[in-house]
Amino acid sequence: MDSLLKLPEGAVFRESKDRAHIEAKQKGGVIYITGTCDSLQRQVEYYEALYHTARDALEQKQNELIQERQKRSDPLADPILIYVLGIVSGVLVTITFNLKKKEK
């Protein structure tokens, strides 16, 4: 600990053993120690990628559901529209036939 406090400002002590790495530096009387491990870093990157993929898929599915709900906001709208168009076309066909009958 004393030797770390004797580090000059901005100097860094590094030590590595196999895949483990440590870095110590002193700044303003505070000792900062950072440690990494290659295999652990790979696992972190793997799970971060997995998380981002799952999050993106979930957001896409949510957007699809929102769009589907907006399309189906009124489930009776289509049948009612078809019914009204059927009545209107029936009335027009009836009027057309009546006019043709009167012409004969």
Side-chain angles (χ1 to χ4, degrees), residues 54-104:
R55 183 195 63 198
D56 293 345
L58 180 62
E59 286 177 359
Q60 181 180 358
K61 193 52 102 172
Q62 283 178 324
N63 289 337
E64 289 173 6
L65 288 173
I66 289 170
Q67 289 176 354
E68 190 65 31
R69 274 195 205 132
Q70 288 173 348
K71 286 180 184 176
R72 297 177 183 248
S73 62
D74 189 3
L76 292 177
D78 288 340
I80 291 173
L81 179 63
I82 292 169
Y83 177 73
V84 169
L85 288 175
I87 290 176
V88 169
S89 63
V91 168
L92 290 175
V93 168
T94 304
I95 292 171
T96 305
F97 280 129
N98 285 338
L99 289 176
K100 284 191 177 188
K101 270 186 177 180
K102 288 183 182 179
E103 289 178 1
K104 288 183 181 184

Side-chain angles (χ1 to χ4, degrees), residues 35-47:
T36 60
C37 180
D38 294 342
S39 60
L40 179 61
Q41 183 65 30
R42 273 189 245 122
Q43 281 187 341
V44 167
E45 290 169 357
Y46 169 76
Y47 286 113

